Amino acid sequence: MMTSGYTALDENQPSGARKWLLFVGIILIAVNLRAGITSIGPLIGMIRDDTGISNTIIGMLTTVPLLAFALLSPAAPVLSRRFGIETVLLSSMIVLTIGIWVRSISSPWTLMLGTALLGMAIAIGNVLLPSLVKRDFPRSIGLMTGTYSMTMNMLAAVASGVSIPLASIPSLGWQGSLIVWSALSVLASMVWIFQVRRRASVSGSNKIVTVAAKGGSIMKSKLAWQITLFMGLQSFTFYVNISWLPEILHSQGMDYSSAGWMLSILQFVSLPFSFIIPVLAGRRPNQVLLVLISAACMFTGYIGLLSGVQSLNIVWVMLIGISGGANFSLSLMFFTLRTTSVHEAAALSGMAQSFGYLLAAIGPMLIGYMHDYTHSWSVPLMILSGVVVLMLIFGLGAAKPGYTSGAAKPVGPIS
């Protein structure tokens, strides 16, 4: 049965071995959504020396994926309705593999082309995973979201850490260090071939059956914009942290090696919270308390760095990392908790990630400009503290019960 305005539940939900295969497929998509990006940062010096490219182009290797996220995210729901989630995810893994291979060729043009392909593929996976979890694991959304969120962040941290050791192997170099991650996308592609075939055999077509979303465009929803801005502001802080935290700590007297380790600590401390927060969020009628605690942690961390109490720097960094993991996973949960259908979840995910990654792309540049203008990290840290306050305001709105469609409660089957 299908209720007008919402996506119908697939009556043939995966079970047993097929459900486990789907779980493995989701995890394999997740491990591919960050490793290809975070693996290149430590290799920038090697790539620049080998290819002779400018620092401007080097900077674009980080910016291009974010712009691809922003531009391609709205297209993901459209593609999933036209071809089916499984087919689109399989295609994204194939494109990701090609992007990694092309990027590994020692040329400025192939570096940029490969990076663009990689960003386009990851954008699709970013948007569609939450709606896939909503459709096929409706009774364990929090657990599944936490699992793939933690896996994604863990591989991001691992990729950053092993890039240099891999590149130091004579037979690999920086090209081999980058291309090794294509093994994950190839494996994911193999698993998703089976998913596409299974879906086609179950339904006779791998398309998602949908009708027009009730209430028109999701962009008219106040709740959708609150979730979008929460997503965008947490992305803003994440990419600023990745870009500038070592420099902030170095300006306070910490050597670069130690500052780099602090960045690793920030990423690793976020892992357990990126898992547990979705589980807690899925069990609560609202997520207001979780948003409050998370914002308080990050605000305290930035104010601590601003205070200059260097003996507690590790505490400030850990608080920021804890909050970062919590905020990211909360934003993913809002895509499913505040929607009533797979179609609506994909549309919200596409909207939030499109605008969100535009904010993320602006963040490192804005903070870098303010540092250059003021010759101090005080004003940038004040700006980041203000961003946390805004994130709290929009997060509280997103955390209250409700649906972007305006429905008081789910109507008909919820997928």
Side-chain angles (χ1 to χ4, degrees):
M1 175 181 177
M2 189 195 322
T3 301
S4 178
Y6 299 101
T7 304
L9 267 175
D10 182 356
E11 295 179 356
N12 298 287
Q13 288 290 312
S15 59
R18 288 179 174 178
K19 198 155 193 172
W20 278 107
L21 184 63
L22 179 59
F23 171 80
V24 171
I26 289 173
I27 297 303
L28 285 174
I29 293 286
V31 301
N32 279 285
L33 296 184
R34 291 294 179 271
I37 296 174
T38 59
S39 60
I40 198 169
L43 303 174
I44 289 299
M46 291 184 182
I47 295 172
R48 183 176 53 219
D49 293 342
D50 187 43
T51 62
I53 59 179
S54 66
N55 285 326
T56 300
I57 295 178
I58 285 289
M60 290 180 67
L61 294 179
T62 301
T63 304
V64 165
L66 297 180
L67 294 177
F69 295 169
L71 295 174
L72 266 292
S73 291
V78 178
L79 292 172
S80 71
R81 292 197 299 273
R82 175 67 178 85
F83 300 105
I85 290 182
E86 290 83 0
T87 300
V88 176
L89 285 174
L90 170 60
S91 300
S92 74
M93 289 297 100
I94 293 172
V95 172
L96 178 61
T97 303
I98 295 171
I100 292 173
W101 289 345
V102 171
R103 187 181 62 170
S104 301
I105 300 172
S106 184
S107 159
W109 293 106
T110 52
L111 273 170
M112 295 303 300
L113 176 59
T115 299
L117 290 172
L118 180 144
M120 293 165 60
I122 292 175
I124 299 298
N126 281 340
V127 172
L128 293 184
L129 269 195
S131 56
L132 182 69
V133 168
K134 185 176 183 68
R135 188 193 72 187
D136 289 332
F137 295 90
R139 298 183 183 278
S140 52
I141 289 174
L143 180 61
M144 283 299 300
T145 302
T147 301
Y148 89 71
S149 173
M150 182 181 69
T151 303
M152 185 191 310
N153 291 328
M154 180 173 65
L155 261 291
V158 169
S160 296
V162 303
S163 287
I164 292 294
L166 286 173
S168 300
I169 300 174
S171 60
L172 291 180
W174 68 263
Q175 294 98 330
S177 182
L178 290 179
I179 206 170
V180 71
W181 300 105
S182 66
L184 294 176
S185 55
V186 169
L187 182 59
S189 298
M190 294 171 62
V191 171
W192 280 93
I193 288 174
F194 290 105
Q195 294 298 339
V196 170
R197 291 177 176 175
R198 183 197 70 80
R199 196 68 181 173
S201 66
V202 168
S203 63
S205 169
N206 67 337
K207 297 178 184 179
I208 302 174
V209 180
T210 61
V211 295
K214 186 177 181 179
S217 172
I218 198 168
M219 295 184 71
K220 297 178 181 178
S221 166
K222 177 182 177 181
L223 177 57
W225 278 107
Q226 289 172 323
I227 295 169
T228 294
L229 290 169
F230 179 79
M231 169 71 188
L233 293 170
Q234 70 85 24
S235 296
F236 182 105
T237 61
F238 173 78
Y239 284 99
V240 168
N241 293 337
I242 294 298
S243 301
W244 294 117
L245 180 63
E247 289 294 333
I248 293 172
L249 295 173
H250 180 68
S251 72
Q252 297 182 354
M254 186 176 292
D255 63 81
Y256 276 118
S257 177
S258 299
W261 276 110
M262 294 291 270
L263 183 57
S264 296
I265 290 172
L266 179 142
Q267 294 182 77
F268 278 108
V269 79
S270 73
L271 296 179
F273 294 92
S274 63
F275 173 77
I276 192 63
I277 292 298
V279 176
L280 295 176
R283 296 176 178 176
R284 304 178 67 87
N286 67 67
Q287 294 73 43
V288 170
L289 181 60
L290 296 177
V291 170
L292 281 169
I293 294 174
S294 181
C297 287
M298 185 168 283
F299 187 82
T300 302
Y302 284 138
I303 293 299
L305 290 176
L306 182 61
S307 72
V309 183
Q310 299 173 29
S311 60
L312 294 178
N313 273 348
I314 190 169
V315 176
W316 312 138
V317 169
M318 290 179 70
L319 286 172
I320 294 170
I322 289 169
S323 180
N327 291 333
F328 174 70
S329 54
L330 271 174
S331 64
L332 295 180
M333 282 298 292
F334 289 148
F335 300 157
T336 53
L337 293 176
R338 299 294 174 256
T339 56
T340 55
S341 69
V342 173
H343 166 65
E344 193 180 340
L348 175 60
S349 179
M351 171 184 169
Q353 297 199 54
S354 177
F355 286 97
Y357 284 114
L358 277 177
L359 277 175
I362 292 169
M365 291 186 293
L366 173 63
I367 295 302
Y369 171 79
M370 292 308 300
H371 170 66
D372 290 343
Y373 183 76
T374 62
H375 304 288
S376 168
W377 287 108
S378 296
V379 171
L381 285 169
M382 290 178 188
I383 292 173
L384 287 168
S385 300
V387 167
V388 175
V389 173
L390 289 174
M391 185 170 62
L392 171 63
I393 293 170
F394 294 118
L396 290 176
K400 296 176 182 177
Y403 298 98
T404 57
S405 62
K409 59 180 179 179
V411 181
I414 302 303
S415 52

